[in-house]
Amino acid sequence: MPELPEVETIARGLAKRVTGEVVESLWLGRKKEPLKSPASEIAAALEHSRIAAVHRMGKHIVFDLETNGVSRSSANGAGAQAQWIVHLGMTGRLQVCEPAAEIEKHTHAILRLSSGRELRFVDPRRFGRLSVAQAARFDADGVEPLDVDIESFIALFHVRKTPIKSALLNQKLLRGVGNIYADESLFRAGIRPRRRATTITREQLGRLHVAVKEVLREAIALGGSSISDYVDADGEEGFFQLQHRVYGREGEACLVCKTAIKRIVISGRSSHYCPSCQK
Ligand SMILES: [Zn+2]
């Protein structure tokens, strides 16, 4: 499942490839699950619209659309605004390809672009979702972890009675921080995943604030080199290039102190930590 850094990388890759394109027509498959908005609404928002920008919000990829068509222009003459929102779910992919490229099984949407290329949404397991928002109103739950300032970060967590690991994964607090990046951030901040958030000092939360951003930024920087591979081909491999210090290293020696890394389960998710470096 793509996490925030992968979604950021994919959004940046798409922005380079499709910004400025006009969607000439749209084909949607018959499967209902991938469509979170009615097919007619998705078609109305996308067809004849110009892709003004592509960016990430949480784990969503958001296409800002401008519609300058006569029938839909607003009273002041400016192009109406809408957004196409893609959540990749477990196995969703967006491909930019030539029309001659073979249409893969599990293709649920094809956007024909003004350059002659196509943007396709492929998703074998169908946990991905396509929706539209009018008037650029889409808002993902939670606060953007790369933008949140230290006081807001502390305010989000210091009242929580749950383990800090669960609070980090709570998408209503921070949007888009997944299991791997939560474990890696807690290791860097020296905080055990099971610690109740309310018991963590301001100073430690300050360290966690820095660590979350550091881990996500490093992963984004690493992901940047494989943008083209990801958008075009099918490998999720090659993405988690961040050197994990604790995640998936149960029983291996801590890279700092050589203590064996422990694995515990918190709210049904594996959590990895160093019993010596993390308090
Ligand atoms: Zn250690």
Side-chain angles (χ1 to χ4, degrees):
M1 159 125 66
E3 292 212 38
L4 185 152
E6 291 77 53
V7 178
E8 174 74 26
T9 301
I10 294 162
R12 287 183 188 180
L14 286 164
K16 277 191 200 159
R17 286 154 174 252
V18 304
T19 300
E21 292 265 21
V22 173
V23 180
E24 299 204 320
S25 65
L26 169 72
W27 172 89
L28 289 172
R30 286 195 191 155
K31 294 276 189 279
K32 291 273 181 267
E33 303 96 310
L35 306 183
K36 201 174 162 189
S37 302
S40 58
E41 267 179 42
I42 295 177
L46 280 171
E47 285 187 322
H48 313 299
S49 290
R50 181 177 164 275
I51 299 171
V54 185
H55 54 100
R56 177 190 61 78
M57 284 179 80
K59 290 194 203 173
H60 299 84
I61 298 169
V62 179
F63 294 74
D64 289 339
L65 305 170
E66 286 175 359
T67 53
N68 290 311
V70 175
S71 59
R72 274 175 288 150
S73 62
S74 58
N76 62 12
Q81 304 282 314
Q83 289 168 314
W84 182 44
I85 300 128
V86 178
H87 193 285
L88 297 171
M90 303 281 288
T91 54
R93 281 182 290 121
L94 286 160
Q95 302 175 316
V96 179
C97 55
E98 297 300 324
E102 190 184 341
I103 296 174
E104 285 184 43
K105 208 177 166 188
H106 310 297
T107 297
H108 304 294
I110 301 176
L111 284 65
R112 295 182 194 87
L113 306 174
S114 45
S115 64
R117 292 177 303 169
E118 294 182 346
L119 174 57
R120 299 177 184 173
F121 177 67
V122 182
D123 186 7
R125 295 191 59 188
R126 298 204 297 270
F127 287 108
R129 292 291 177 264
L130 308 178
S131 61
V132 292
Q134 297 303 324
R137 287 233 178 88
F138 176 70
D139 194 10
D141 278 339
V143 176
E144 184 59 48
L146 289 173
D147 298 339
V148 64
D149 63 58
I150 183 161
E151 286 308 320
S152 313
F153 186 90
I154 291 170
L156 282 178
F157 293 104
H158 87 282
V159 294
R160 296 272 147 183
K161 296 194 174 84
T162 57
I164 184 65
K165 172 71 185 284
S166 311
L168 279 176
L169 293 181
N170 182 344
Q171 302 295 302
K172 294 205 162 77
L173 303 178
L174 285 188
R175 61 169 79 129
V177 176
N179 205 32
I180 297 172
Y181 299 105
D183 279 6
E184 293 296 316
S185 303
L186 287 167
F187 175 74
R188 292 193 190 191
I191 301 168
R192 287 201 185 191
R194 195 134 45 195
R195 277 275 296 281
R196 305 215 165 261
T198 52
T199 69
I200 300 172
T201 63
R202 284 180 61 88
E203 194 205 338
Q204 286 177 310
L205 283 174
R207 284 211 297 273
L208 183 59
H209 174 247
V210 172
V212 167
K213 290 190 185 204
E214 230 178 53
V215 164
L216 293 174
R217 287 209 180 101
E218 284 172 24
I220 290 167
L222 288 167
S225 55
S226 50
I227 285 173
S228 54
D229 293 344
Y230 195 88
V231 178
D232 276 342
D234 49 11
E236 263 162 89
E237 261 100 32
F239 239 105
F240 299 132
Q241 296 167 348
L242 187 76
Q243 168 76 52
H244 299 155
R245 298 184 192 174
V246 285
Y247 185 84
R249 299 191 65 242
E250 182 185 10
E252 291 177 40
C254 171
L255 299 173
V256 174
C257 73
K258 307 268 195 293
T259 305
I261 300 298
K262 277 198 162 180
R263 174 183 168 276
I264 54 174
V265 176
I266 300 172
S267 330
R269 309 292 302 271
S270 280
S271 296
H272 307 78
Y273 70 99
C274 170
S276 164
C277 293
Q278 291 170 256
K279 308 285 179 204

